[in-house]
Amino acid sequence: MSATATQATSAAAHIEVKDLTMAYGSFVIQHDLTFTINHGDIFIIMGGSGCGKSTLRRHLNGLMAPARGGVLYDGTSDWDSPAVEQAGGEQGWGL
């Protein structure tokens, strides 16, 4: 993919997950997840019992801090935002 196409994808992205590692203490659930959800996308999380679906959702909606990596909403990390704006509080979206 060209640099221009990558920049266009990033500019249109509503949610970007970059190198996300999800863990409970030292127990790693998933590691190095990277994906983009653009405006208007329908995004489905599927998998077997205990594979991390609910944990991923907790990270996406700001209930759990990442062990590593991050989740960006319109280019901004939820964990760098004031508490009132975290988890979509004043951003006009929800999960």
Side-chain angles (χ1 to χ4, degrees):
M1 184 180 294
S2 71
T4 305
T6 302
Q7 290 171 349
T9 301
S10 292
H14 182 55
I15 300 173
E16 288 181 89
V17 174
K18 292 185 175 183
D19 301 319
L20 177 66
T21 295
M22 306 180 301
Y24 290 100
S26 63
F27 183 71
V28 175
I29 306 298
Q30 293 279 336
H31 61 90
D32 300 327
L33 295 175
T34 299
F35 59 88
T36 301
I37 305 170
N38 296 312
H39 287 275
D41 283 354
I42 296 173
F43 184 75
I44 299 169
I45 302 170
M46 292 176 46
S49 178
C51 71
K53 299 178 302 290
S54 295
T55 302
L56 175 58
R57 194 166 147 245
R58 287 184 191 100
H59 282 79
L60 290 175
N61 65 19
L63 295 175
M64 288 182 72
R68 188 176 72 82
V71 180
L72 303 176
Y73 303 91
D74 292 325
T76 303
S77 170
D78 197 36
W79 293 101
D80 296 337
S81 302
V84 71
E85 293 178 4
Q86 288 182 1
E90 292 192 359
Q91 296 177 12
W93 61 268
L95 293 172

